[in-house]
PDB file of all heavy atoms in Angstrom:
ATOM      1  N   VAL A 118      95.257 107.472 133.795  1.00  0.00           N
ATOM      2  CA  VAL A 118      96.059 107.655 135.015  1.00  0.00           C
ATOM      3  C   VAL A 118      96.639 109.096 135.158  1.00  0.00           C
ATOM      4  O   VAL A 118      96.784 109.650 136.263  1.00  0.00           O
ATOM      5  CB  VAL A 118      97.146 106.600 135.137  1.00  0.00           C
ATOM      6  CG1 VAL A 118      98.408 106.849 134.262  1.00  0.00           C
ATOM      7  CG2 VAL A 118      97.535 106.345 136.520  1.00  0.00           C
ATOM      8  N   MET A 119      96.949 109.671 134.010  1.00  0.00           N
ATOM      9  CA  MET A 119      97.390 111.058 134.012  1.00  0.00           C
ATOM     10  C   MET A 119      96.322 112.021 134.474  1.00  0.00           C
ATOM     11  O   MET A 119      96.578 112.924 135.330  1.00  0.00           O
ATOM     12  CB  MET A 119      97.902 111.474 132.575  1.00  0.00           C
ATOM     13  CG  MET A 119      99.186 110.836 132.202  1.00  0.00           C
ATOM     14  SD  MET A 119      99.774 111.468 130.581  1.00  0.00           S
ATOM     15  CE  MET A 119     100.168 113.180 131.033  1.00  0.00           C
ATOM     16  N   GLU A 120      95.103 111.823 133.994  1.00  0.00           N
ATOM     17  CA  GLU A 120      93.986 112.675 134.481  1.00  0.00           C
ATOM     18  C   GLU A 120      93.633 112.426 135.882  1.00  0.00           C
ATOM     19  O   GLU A 120      93.456 113.372 136.678  1.00  0.00           O
ATOM     20  CB  GLU A 120      92.798 112.485 133.554  1.00  0.00           C
ATOM     21  CG  GLU A 120      91.641 113.348 133.891  1.00  0.00           C
ATOM     22  CD  GLU A 120      90.394 113.141 132.979  1.00  0.00           C
ATOM     23  OE1 GLU A 120      90.541 112.399 132.003  1.00  0.00           O
ATOM     24  OE2 GLU A 120      89.410 113.805 133.199  1.00  0.00           O
ATOM     25  N   ARG A 121      93.577 111.190 136.259  1.00  0.00           N
ATOM     26  CA  ARG A 121      92.986 110.820 137.556  1.00  0.00           C
ATOM     27  C   ARG A 121      93.990 111.163 138.687  1.00  0.00           C
ATOM     28  O   ARG A 121      93.542 111.602 139.761  1.00  0.00           O
ATOM     29  CB  ARG A 121      92.733 109.348 137.668  1.00  0.00           C
ATOM     30  CG  ARG A 121      92.173 108.885 138.964  1.00  0.00           C
ATOM     31  CD  ARG A 121      91.635 107.499 138.876  1.00  0.00           C
ATOM     32  NE  ARG A 121      90.965 107.075 140.188  1.00  0.00           N
ATOM     33  CZ  ARG A 121      90.300 105.953 140.312  1.00  0.00           C
ATOM     34  NH1 ARG A 121      90.118 105.141 139.308  1.00  0.00           N
ATOM     35  NH2 ARG A 121      89.785 105.675 141.505  1.00  0.00           N
ATOM     36  N   PHE A 122      95.263 111.034 138.465  1.00  0.00           N
ATOM     37  CA  PHE A 122      96.283 111.253 139.528  1.00  0.00           C
ATOM     38  C   PHE A 122      97.240 112.356 139.249  1.00  0.00           C
ATOM     39  O   PHE A 122      98.276 112.466 139.834  1.00  0.00           O
ATOM     40  CB  PHE A 122      97.077 109.982 139.763  1.00  0.00           C
ATOM     41  CG  PHE A 122      96.177 108.825 140.222  1.00  0.00           C
ATOM     42  CD1 PHE A 122      95.916 107.738 139.334  1.00  0.00           C
ATOM     43  CD2 PHE A 122      95.666 108.839 141.535  1.00  0.00           C
ATOM     44  CE1 PHE A 122      95.097 106.705 139.796  1.00  0.00           C
ATOM     45  CE2 PHE A 122      94.805 107.770 141.902  1.00  0.00           C
ATOM     46  CZ  PHE A 122      94.563 106.721 141.109  1.00  0.00           C
ATOM     47  N   SER A 123      96.836 113.236 138.268  1.00  0.00           N
ATOM     48  CA  SER A 123      97.584 114.454 137.957  1.00  0.00           C
ATOM     49  C   SER A 123      99.051 114.118 137.623  1.00  0.00           C
ATOM     50  O   SER A 123      99.982 114.879 138.134  1.00  0.00           O
ATOM     51  CB  SER A 123      97.508 115.462 139.123  1.00  0.00           C
ATOM     52  OG  SER A 123      96.159 115.791 139.400  1.00  0.00           O
ATOM     53  N   ILE A 124      99.280 113.149 136.850  1.00  0.00           N
ATOM     54  CA  ILE A 124     100.651 112.835 136.342  1.00  0.00           C
ATOM     55  C   ILE A 124     100.999 113.782 135.240  1.00  0.00           C
ATOM     56  O   ILE A 124     100.228 114.025 134.274  1.00  0.00           O
ATOM     57  CB  ILE A 124     100.746 111.376 135.848  1.00  0.00           C
ATOM     58  CG1 ILE A 124     100.340 110.375 136.937  1.00  0.00           C
ATOM     59  CG2 ILE A 124     102.157 111.054 135.328  1.00  0.00           C
ATOM     60  CD1 ILE A 124     101.180 110.356 138.149  1.00  0.00           C
ATOM     61  N   ASP A 125     102.130 114.512 135.402  1.00  0.00           N
ATOM     62  CA  ASP A 125     102.513 115.536 134.380  1.00  0.00           C
ATOM     63  C   ASP A 125     104.089 115.591 134.299  1.00  0.00           C
ATOM     64  O   ASP A 125     104.731 114.641 134.695  1.00  0.00           O
ATOM     65  CB  ASP A 125     101.989 116.882 134.790  1.00  0.00           C
ATOM     66  CG  ASP A 125     102.331 117.319 136.165  1.00  0.00           C
ATOM     67  OD1 ASP A 125     103.445 116.900 136.655  1.00  0.00           O
ATOM     68  OD2 ASP A 125     101.598 118.111 136.818  1.00  0.00           O
ATOM     69  N   GLU A 126     104.536 116.689 133.707  1.00  0.00           N
ATOM     70  CA  GLU A 126     105.984 116.759 133.444  1.00  0.00           C
ATOM     71  C   GLU A 126     106.799 116.732 134.718  1.00  0.00           C
ATOM     72  O   GLU A 126     108.067 116.626 134.653  1.00  0.00           O
ATOM     73  CB  GLU A 126     106.232 118.043 132.594  1.00  0.00           C
ATOM     74  CG  GLU A 126     105.599 117.937 131.250  1.00  0.00           C
ATOM     75  CD  GLU A 126     105.836 119.246 130.435  1.00  0.00           C
ATOM     76  OE1 GLU A 126     106.646 120.069 130.874  1.00  0.00           O
ATOM     77  OE2 GLU A 126     105.163 119.455 129.361  1.00  0.00           O
ATOM     78  N   SER A 127     106.204 117.094 135.898  1.00  0.00           N
ATOM     79  CA  SER A 127     106.924 117.158 137.125  1.00  0.00           C
ATOM     80  C   SER A 127     106.921 115.732 137.865  1.00  0.00           C
ATOM     81  O   SER A 127     107.566 115.608 138.906  1.00  0.00           O
ATOM     82  CB  SER A 127     106.311 118.120 138.144  1.00  0.00           C
ATOM     83  OG  SER A 127     104.935 117.782 138.437  1.00  0.00           O
ATOM     84  N   SER A 128     106.288 114.790 137.252  1.00  0.00           N
ATOM     85  CA  SER A 128     106.159 113.415 137.881  1.00  0.00           C
ATOM     86  C   SER A 128     107.294 112.523 137.404  1.00  0.00           C
ATOM     87  O   SER A 128     107.929 112.837 136.352  1.00  0.00           O
ATOM     88  CB  SER A 128     104.791 112.840 137.516  1.00  0.00           C
ATOM     89  OG  SER A 128     103.691 113.682 137.878  1.00  0.00           O
ATOM     90  N   LYS A 129     107.510 111.424 138.123  1.00  0.00           N
ATOM     91  CA  LYS A 129     108.437 110.411 137.674  1.00  0.00           C
ATOM     92  C   LYS A 129     107.651 109.094 137.528  1.00  0.00           C
ATOM     93  O   LYS A 129     107.049 108.604 138.469  1.00  0.00           O
ATOM     94  CB  LYS A 129     109.558 110.201 138.678  1.00  0.00           C
ATOM     95  CG  LYS A 129     110.576 109.180 138.293  1.00  0.00           C
ATOM     96  CD  LYS A 129     111.464 109.613 137.182  1.00  0.00           C
ATOM     97  CE  LYS A 129     112.579 108.649 136.902  1.00  0.00           C
ATOM     98  NZ  LYS A 129     113.522 109.172 135.883  1.00  0.00           N
TER      99      LYS A 129
END
Side-chain angles (χ1 to χ4, degrees):
V118 80
M119 287 185 67
E120 180 178 358
R121 181 168 183 172
F122 298 108
S123 301
I124 302 298
D125 57 26
E126 295 178 13
S127 65
S128 307
K129 181 72 173 184

